[in-house]
Amino acid sequence: MTLILIYKALHLFFMVAWFAGIFYLPRLFVYHAETKSSDCAETFKIMERRLLYFVTPFALLTLVFGVLLIVAYGKAWFIASGWLHIKLLLVLLLYAYHGWCFKLLADFRHDRNRHSARFYRIFNELPVLILLAIILLATLKPLLHLTRF
């Protein structure tokens, strides 16, 4: 049980660190899309690249410790945990979002951004909503009757 608690703590720590970056990066995209100054645009390119590459290891470590948790709890728990299957689908969406950030970063880097600041403001809200759903699933699972454990 101690190992499970360590995995859980590290999973949560790396998830929080990952989300700090995932929440801030689209805000940089908003400012970048709004700027008319080429000097500012170049600064945003550097900030965006550094931030995304800084938080990517946190995303990977979140995954590693999440998988370790599933393995530690065992196959029977995984099969019986309906809430977890829904959570994993949402997590896949988050990794797709993270990947999309790399595409958007490349568009900005090559000066071919086609999205407005408004698009990035909406884009910025997507991980917030997914995170809320994941937290609700993980904390309210007994009330949702999506698990037997």
Side-chain angles (χ1 to χ4, degrees):
M1 190 54 117
T2 303
L3 202 53
I4 286 175
L5 294 175
I6 291 169
Y7 292 160
K8 192 179 289 188
L10 290 171
H11 177 68
L12 289 171
F13 171 79
F14 289 119
M15 185 270 310
V16 169
W18 176 29
F19 270 86
I22 287 299
F23 288 160
Y24 186 53
L25 182 64
R27 182 54 45 189
L28 289 176
F29 290 160
V30 169
Y31 301 143
H32 194 160
E34 288 178 338
T35 190
K36 305 290 186 232
S37 165
S38 61
D39 288 340
C40 283
E42 292 304 313
T43 300
F44 282 126
K45 287 177 188 180
I46 293 167
M47 292 172 67
E48 292 156 357
R49 179 180 48 81
R50 286 181 179 169
L51 179 59
L52 187 55
Y53 282 93
F54 180 75
V55 299
T56 296
F58 297 141
L60 296 174
L61 288 166
T62 299
L63 179 64
V64 166
F65 286 102
V67 169
L68 286 172
L69 270 170
I70 290 169
V71 170
Y73 274 113
K75 183 179 178 181
W77 174 81
F78 178 76
I79 291 169
S81 297
W83 70 272
L84 181 61
H85 302 134
I86 298 168
K87 176 191 172 186
L88 291 175
L89 285 173
L90 293 170
V91 168
L92 283 175
L93 286 174
L94 288 171
Y95 282 100
Y97 180 93
H98 191 99
W100 193 6
C101 286
F102 276 101
K103 192 252 186 255
L104 296 170
L105 181 78
D107 288 346
F108 276 117
R109 180 179 47 223
H110 298 296
D111 298 318
R112 59 177 188 235
N113 172 48
R114 296 190 190 338
H115 300 291
S116 67
R118 179 171 159 53
F119 168 84
Y120 291 111
R121 282 188 181 91
I122 294 167
F123 182 74
N124 192 35
E125 301 307 320
L126 295 176
V128 174
L129 297 174
I130 295 171
L131 179 61
L132 175 62
I134 288 171
I135 289 172
L136 290 173
L137 279 169
T139 56
L140 300 177
K141 60 189 169 215
L143 298 175
L144 300 172
H145 306 289
L146 293 173
T147 185
R148 287 183 261 166
F149 293 97

